[in-house]
Amino acid sequence: MGAGIAGEFARAGCAVRLMDVKDKFIERGMELVDAAQEALVGARLLTAHKAKAARKRITATTSLGAACDGVQLLVEAVSEDLAVKKKMFRQFDALCPGRAVLASNTSGLSITKIASATKRPKLLAGMHFWNPPHLIPLVEVTKGKGTSDATARLLMKVARRIGKRPILVKHDVPGFVGNRLQFAVMREALHILSEGIASAEDIDTAMTAGPGLRYGLLGPLRTADLGGLDVFKAISDYLFAELSDAKKPPKLMADLVKRRKLGAKAGEGFYKYSRRDLKQIVNQRDHVLLGFLKVLRQQER
Ligand SMILES: NC(=O)c1ccc[n+]([C@@H]2O[C@H](COP(=O)([O-])OP(=O)(O)OC[C@H]3O[C@@H](n4cnc5c(N)ncnc54)[C@H](O)[C@@H]3O)[C@@H](O)[C@H]2O)c1
């Protein structure tokens, strides 16, 4: 994620320092930047000239001191572990200029807890990019208990400036907004599968050929507005009580994980995957996402 985020800032014209603990991790990151840029150039969302210039704006280093020296904004994307993040932020606080804004790309750890490792909670917030950053426009800017309004406003502005679609998460809640929505759907999908109501394939088709199309364009609340709130209220009246309110993932999921059927990376999860299938699915996904990105860019003009 760190390299993907670095690419986004660099393409927007910012001078970026990409820091990791080993040269080989940085090299891997730069390969990801190149692959992302190739895809954007291929889709005519970026010129080869601009891609080359962006690449030159990224300076890589394995020295944290050099990375933090004189920065205006730091975006952290180390492993999703609170103890590791707190240790990192303690160091950022000591090494970055006093006025620098510190942001975490955490997927859902508490911003307030991360900020407790620093003396500058006012200047610290969540800045959660979605994967892959060059294709997904959403950035969630999350306020911790101590984050100032000015810092949240600044990060919203910065995110817009680099071409993202930021949202403000006003309270530091687990999962922020995007993952709360995603996992609410996931919980119900697992419930439908566990109860034998439909197959995995049909559950996915119910989303991709149905509400998913509307959600991609309108979101759940505008979809309800267009459907009529009286209609949605009447359905909610009898349906909410039927939906899963499970507090734990179902046995079905725990069993798959126990048997190391971890999804595409293991060759099997809910479906089986050959390398060829996987390549095809990812190519298809990226092709559609690049198309969406083009539509969004046109809307912004
Ligand atoms: N992968 C995703 O889809 C995704 C999406 C959004 C947010 N995130 C969040 O982004 C963060 C990173 O996730 P990822 O999937 O890129 O993880 P990753 O494990 O692929 O990358 C983490 C990187 O941090 C580096 N690192 C670890 N300790 C370090 C240190 N002390 N100093 C410098 N670098 C250090 C590692 O070498 C590694 O290259 C996590 O907080 C994760 O929750 C991930």
Side-chain angles (χ1 to χ4, degrees):
M1 286 300 290
I5 296 166
E8 289 292 283
F9 278 95
R11 284 188 289 283
C14 305
V16 183
R17 286 186 209 134
L18 178 64
M19 191 264 162
D20 208 312
V21 283
K22 286 194 179 151
D23 285 332
K24 67 174 183 188
F25 298 146
I26 292 175
E27 279 157 27
R28 172 79 190 118
M30 292 311 289
E31 281 167 20
L32 291 173
V33 172
D34 288 341
Q37 300 209 140
E38 262 169 45
L40 292 171
V41 171
R44 295 175 187 273
L45 282 159
L46 180 73
T47 64
H49 179 70
K50 284 189 176 165
K52 210 169 156 190
R55 185 74 161 62
K56 283 192 188 148
R57 286 189 204 103
I58 305 176
T59 320
T61 178
T62 50
S63 153
L64 189 58
C68 293
D69 185 34
V71 290
Q72 292 174 296
L73 168 63
L74 179 149
V75 183
E76 164 278 322
V78 302
S79 326
E80 187 77 341
D81 177 319
L82 183 62
V84 174
K85 299 236 189 238
K86 282 176 76 170
K87 188 174 152 218
M88 293 304 299
F89 273 88
R90 207 166 291 126
Q91 296 179 72
F92 301 155
D93 198 27
L95 295 168
C96 292
R99 290 175 61 183
V101 169
L102 307 181
S104 174
N105 183 50
T106 174
S107 302
L109 293 173
S110 162
I111 302 303
T112 307
K113 284 187 187 157
I114 293 173
S116 71
T118 75
K119 293 191 189 78
R120 62 177 95 185
K122 278 187 187 170
L123 289 173
L124 191 150
M127 193 177 196
H128 179 220
F129 289 75
W130 280 62
N131 195 19
H134 67 291
L135 295 179
I136 308 283
L138 178 62
V139 170
E140 295 176 290
V141 173
T142 300
K143 284 181 76 178
K145 280 214 173 87
T147 310
S148 73
D149 289 342
T151 297
R153 267 199 310 274
L154 178 82
L155 289 179
M156 292 288 288
K157 202 167 149 191
V158 167
R160 272 187 219 106
R161 160 86 172 70
I162 63 168
K164 309 308 286 181
R165 292 230 167 162
I167 67 155
L168 180 63
V169 186
K170 297 179 203 169
H171 302 290
D172 189 10
V173 291
F176 309 139
V177 173
N179 267 327
R180 290 180 90 94
L181 294 174
Q182 178 164 255
F183 279 80
V185 171
M186 178 73 184
R187 178 164 66 178
E188 191 53 36
L190 289 168
H191 175 66
I192 294 169
L193 188 64
S194 300
E195 293 292 307
I197 299 166
S199 66
E201 199 146 29
D202 284 348
I203 293 168
D204 280 343
T205 304
M207 179 60 86
T208 57
L213 290 173
R214 293 198 298 223
Y215 284 175
L217 201 65
L218 302 169
L221 298 179
R222 207 174 278 112
T223 293
D225 263 354
L226 291 190
L229 294 185
D230 49 343
V231 178
F232 271 70
K233 159 84 169 53
I235 299 171
S236 304
D237 279 342
Y238 67 77
L239 196 52
F240 273 22
E242 300 293 325
L243 299 177
S244 170
D245 61 355
K247 298 284 178 246
K248 278 187 189 164
K251 185 172 176 316
L252 172 93
M253 193 184 208
D255 284 350
L256 284 172
V257 173
K258 208 165 148 193
R259 283 152 58 212
R260 304 310 287 165
K261 293 191 174 176
L262 302 179
K265 65 182 172 189
E268 188 172 349
F270 295 112
Y271 301 88
K272 285 198 168 131
Y273 302 86
S274 69
R275 276 196 184 184
R276 222 173 106 212
D277 295 337
L278 185 58
K279 203 167 172 206
Q280 201 181 352
I281 293 169
V282 171
N283 283 345
Q284 231 168 24
R285 180 202 67 182
D286 288 0
H287 179 72
V288 171
L289 290 177
L290 283 163
F292 266 132
L293 210 55
K294 274 188 189 170
V295 172
L296 291 178
R297 294 264 171 97
Q298 278 159 7
Q299 281 177 357
E300 278 156 15
R301 274 189 205 135

